[in-house]
Amino acid sequence: SGQVLFHSLGHWRCAPSLHDLIFLDAVCLPASQLLQGRPVRFWHDQAFVKPAGDGAVVQWHQDYSYWDRTGPMAHLTVHIALDDQTLENGALHWVPGSHRWTRDGGPLPQAAAVARAKMAKAKASGSGDDLAGASFTTDMDALYNDVLNESEKAQWSSRPPETVLLKAGHAAFHHALCVHGSWGNRSSAPRRALVLNYFAHGTRSCINGSLMKGLPPVKNGEILGGKFHPVVFDTRRFDMSTLPVAS
């Protein structure tokens, strides 16, 4: 498509400032409040950079569709803007109410997985008839077109995607099933963001093996912890009974 998106993980292990960010009380206390007042562990971090002029889209998705190798679901995302976000530079958008959209008790299928299945079918048939919509990198609407049912599409139409146009240094917290995405960057400056992902203490692995490249293997059912998933907020430090928490 000619569009570019820089996406990387693991910065907290490379720079002291990014390491310290994941422990920041201004981030981790509200994370605990949103996770029913439970202790919080770090899952992983991400950086998203959309270059000026040709920064690519990030297609609609639910984060937990990439994380269901861990459970039960008690995860959230913190999106930190490093530049003022605008409609022109690809501000993050969310679909209201989409955190209730599931399939068979789990998250919606990844649009990418649907696209890969389409591509495999097209290759097997030797025909190009099934290639339409098979892109899983720049097709913003793949989730809407290929995954959502009619009821979900109706909800989308009645409550279309919203944004808060984050300012640089501001953060937004969202549910692990909240459908979100961002359009491309058409502006003359880069659009940069850091993303911190957390889960509640007690979250377990649902597979045998490494949860991410570079991490040691874990066993199915093992509670996640250790140096790669440290406690970033210990609720014993605060009287959580005095604070509002999500139910």
Side-chain angles (χ1 to χ4, degrees), residues 3-7 47-59 79 83 85-93 137 140 181-193:
Q3 294 182 318
V4 178
L5 174 71
F6 174 83
H7 175 230
F48 288 89
V49 178
K50 296 172 181 270
D54 59 359
V57 307
V58 176
Q59 65 181 188
H79 180 103
D83 303 288
Q85 296 192 0
T86 67
L87 297 181
E88 185 182 22
N89 72 9
L92 187 66
H93 283 67
T137 54
M140 182 69 176
S182 55
W183 280 275
N185 181 7
R186 307 186 308 277
S187 76
S188 59
R191 195 282 256 169
R192 299 163 293 185

Side-chain angles (χ1 to χ4, degrees), residues 50-134:
K50 296 172 181 270
D54 59 359
V57 307
V58 176
Q59 65 181 188
W60 301 111
H61 66 283
Q62 293 176 323
D63 286 340
Y64 193 62
S65 69
Y66 296 91
W67 300 341
D68 56 358
R69 60 193 182 278
T70 62
M73 186 184 69
H75 303 57
L76 59 75
T77 292
V78 185
H79 180 103
I80 304 172
L82 299 183
D83 303 288
D84 289 352
Q85 296 192 0
T86 67
L87 297 181
E88 185 182 22
N89 72 9
L92 187 66
H93 283 67
W94 302 266
V95 180
S98 58
H99 63 289
R100 300 185 180 93
W101 296 351
T102 61
R103 288 293 183 278
D104 302 319
L108 297 174
Q110 296 174 22
V114 174
R116 290 188 189 103
K118 283 187 174 183
M119 186 68 75
K121 181 179 178 182
K123 288 180 177 179
S125 67
S127 166
D129 294 342
D130 296 304
L131 289 177

